[in-house]
Amino acid sequence: MPVSSRVPAALPSVVVVLLVGGAYWALFPDRTDYAGHFLAGAGGTYALLALGTLALPGRAWLVVALTWLAVLLGVGTEATVFRLAELDPVDLANQSLGAVLAGLGMVAATRHDRSVPVALVAAGALLVGGFGLAFA
């Protein structure tokens, strides 16, 4: 059943990201960094994809390429900037999963369906919440 044209394409994936983030938090209460990396990975990807959708709307290949870029940026930052103790493959997997879920939600996004503002608001909230949980 197709999503109504009044609902931004990005909105269902934002809801899924929030639900999965909540599940991480509930299932692993002692490891808030799991939820934090997942949410921050999704948030960073939403920001990147919102800019890509503004530049070249309706290009699924661009969403895939930018999602890959977001995952690679996550690898780079996890291995360098945020390497407090050692590279944690679980954190990397969690942030990559967040990035992929964000990418799935933006494949059908267009400049005119309000996905860009939804993605930008989600990006800000998820990045702040994710960093807060990752470093709690």
Side-chain angles (χ1 to χ4, degrees):
M1 192 164 150
V3 177
S4 168
S5 63
R6 294 183 184 154
V7 175
L11 189 59
S13 75
V14 171
V15 171
V16 169
V17 164
L18 291 172
L19 290 173
V20 173
Y24 267 107
W25 200 4
L27 293 171
F28 304 105
D30 295 338
R31 294 299 310 255
T32 59
D33 60 316
Y34 289 0
H37 281 85
F38 173 78
L39 294 174
T45 305
Y46 277 125
L48 192 59
L49 293 175
L51 298 175
T53 301
L54 277 175
L56 294 170
R59 306 280 198 313
W61 63 267
L62 181 64
V63 172
V64 172
L66 290 176
T67 301
W68 270 107
L69 177 61
V71 169
L72 292 174
L73 288 171
V75 170
T77 57
E78 185 70 24
T80 58
V81 177
F82 296 119
R83 186 179 174 173
L84 300 175
E86 63 185 49
L87 178 69
D88 187 346
V90 175
D91 290 344
L92 184 59
N94 288 330
Q95 70 189 30
S96 297
L97 178 60
V100 169
L101 286 179
L104 286 173
M106 292 295 286
V107 169
T110 66
R111 186 182 307 166
H112 305 293
D113 78 345
R114 298 186 319 266
S115 284
V116 170
V118 167
L120 288 173
V121 169
L126 293 170
L127 282 169
V128 169
F131 280 118
L133 287 171
F135 295 106

